């Protein structure tokens, strides 16, 4: 696991955006796994700037989002469909037919989940999956206790997640109780996973994910089993890590080495 600790949230977002942009430049038809929530917003803003100012081209890129609330149509202001539209899709040249999110209003949700998995496979799999982390250690909506081999399916949200997400809905009562989410098994099949976490409220979940045991109680800890994971943190989110000096030393050495190789 590569752990990158940046000084602040803005620097962490820039590092995450640079990873995504480098992939899109290297592989113009890359398949990106995208995330919603407060954390990726500044990363998406930087990608929009790169598109506008440097012509970063998303014309052939495909995207798959991690999750969507059950019962919210794409037009609902708090749906993740709408979030992606407003935060990224409307501002870059992604082709609408190449951008998919799980369907939270399908009549047959299990069939829609299976179709989503099939669409990811047919696209050749996800090259880079952007992830956030919940204060309960979840990735996507894989709440504590989720199978580490799980696939896209419907999950009940924990009280903690409902509380955390109430800020987007105005009150807890309005937060949907169910979501369609990629499983941890789905996520682990991405060729690279990039988890972005900022803020002291994420520090304990980050510590458990990076330095705790692999456990379904902290589903982000399953990333320890993946061979190509980058954790991009700010100082606050890294605040509980025991080995932060080691990660910083290793990252500085890695940057010196790659600068010398260029
Ligand atoms: P946040 O959510 O970015 O809004 O903190 C992260 C998550 O729940 O995965």
């Amino acid at each position: 696991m590569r752990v990158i600790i940046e000084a602040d949230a803005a620097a962490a977002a820039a590092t995450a955006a640079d990873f995504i942009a480098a992939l899109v430049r290297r592989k113009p038809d890359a398949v990106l796994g995208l995330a919603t929530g407060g954390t990726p917003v500044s990363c998406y803003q930087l990608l929009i700037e790169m598109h506008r100012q440097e012509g970063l081209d998303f014309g052939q890129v495909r995207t798959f989002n991690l999750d969507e609330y059950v019962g919210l149509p794409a037009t609902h202001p708090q749906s993740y469909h709408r979030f992606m539209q407003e935060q990224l899709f409307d501002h870059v040249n992604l082709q609408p037919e190449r951008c998919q999110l799980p369907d939270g209003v399908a009549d047959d949700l299990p069939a829609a989940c299976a179709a989503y998995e099939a669409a990811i496979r047919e696209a050749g799999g996800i090259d880079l999956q952007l992830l956030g982390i919940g204060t309960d250690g979840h990735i996507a909506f894989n709440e504590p206790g989720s199978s580490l081999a799980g696939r896209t399916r419907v999950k009940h949200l924990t009280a903690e997640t409902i509380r955390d997400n109430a800020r987007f809905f105005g009150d807890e009562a309005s937060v949907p109780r169910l979501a369609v989410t990629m499983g941890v098994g789905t996520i682990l099949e991405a060729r690279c996973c990039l988890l972005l976490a900022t803020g002291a409220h994420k520090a304990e979940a980050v510590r458990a994910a990076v330095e705790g045991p692999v456990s379904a109680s902290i589903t982000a800890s399953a990333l320890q089993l993946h061979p190509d994971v980058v954790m991009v943190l700010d100082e606050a989110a890294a605040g509980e890590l025991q080995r932060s000096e080691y990660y910083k030393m290793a990252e500085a050495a890695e940057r010196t080495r790659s600068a010398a190789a260029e």
Side-chain angles (χ1 to χ4, degrees):
M1 198 180 265
R2 180 173 173 189
V3 181
I4 300 177
I5 302 171
E6 300 288 5
D8 55 28
T15 296
D18 284 345
F19 268 97
I20 295 170
L23 170 64
V24 170
R25 286 192 201 101
R26 195 166 66 240
K27 187 176 180 190
D29 60 349
V31 181
L32 299 179
L34 298 178
T36 52
T39 312
V41 169
S42 21
C43 172
Y44 293 150
Q45 280 167 358
L46 291 166
L47 291 173
I48 293 165
E49 271 174 42
M50 288 184 215
H51 169 69
R52 289 185 179 152
Q53 289 168 16
E54 302 158 31
L56 184 64
D57 183 7
F58 293 90
Q60 296 178 62
V61 169
R62 291 199 61 156
T63 71
F64 289 93
N65 262 80
L66 288 169
D67 42 24
E68 177 58 286
Y69 292 111
V70 169
L72 298 197
T75 50
H76 189 284
Q78 300 310 332
S79 76
Y80 287 161
H81 280 74
R82 180 81 170 263
F83 175 98
M84 289 309 303
Q85 216 61 53
E86 289 174 355
Q87 300 297 333
L88 183 66
F89 297 164
D90 282 348
H91 312 288
V92 296
N93 65 329
L94 279 160
Q95 303 301 303
E97 68 280 5
R98 295 171 82 82
C99 300
Q100 281 183 253
L101 289 88
D103 184 354
V105 290
D107 290 336
D108 185 344
L109 285 170
C113 291
Y116 198 65
E117 291 271 340
I120 296 171
R121 273 196 305 279
E122 279 157 26
I126 291 170
D127 290 305
L128 187 152
Q129 177 65 59
L130 179 63
L131 297 162
I133 186 169
T135 57
D136 65 359
H138 71 204
I139 42 174
F141 277 129
N142 293 288
E143 300 289 36
S146 294
S147 165
L148 299 185
R151 314 301 309 188
T152 302
R153 71 218 180 288
V154 174
K155 281 297 294 184
H156 285 266
L157 306 189
T158 59
E160 189 171 342
T161 297
I162 291 167
R163 225 173 14 251
D164 285 348
N165 288 2
R167 69 192 195 279
F168 298 113
F169 288 83
D171 61 88
E172 280 185 31
S174 307
V175 182
R177 270 37 189 175
L178 298 173
V180 179
T181 179
M182 280 189 206
V184 175
T186 321
I187 292 167
L188 291 180
E189 282 175 7
R191 284 181 272 282
C192 174
C193 292
L194 190 162
L195 188 148
L196 178 61
T198 55
H201 62 303
K202 297 293 175 70
E204 182 47 38
V206 165
R207 186 206 60 76
V210 176
E211 296 179 342
V214 174
S215 162
S217 297
I218 299 285
T219 55
S221 68
L223 295 172
Q224 293 175 32
L225 300 170
H226 191 289
D228 191 359
V229 172
V230 187
M231 305 286 291
V232 182
L233 313 171
D234 66 355
E235 285 282 359
E240 295 295 325
L241 291 173
Q242 300 298 300
R243 291 189 290 268
S244 53
E245 290 314 311
Y246 166 74
Y247 307 132
K248 286 181 186 173
M249 178 279 291
E251 187 56 27
E254 184 58 31
R255 288 184 187 192
T256 307
R257 195 192 58 76
S258 55
E262 270 169 20

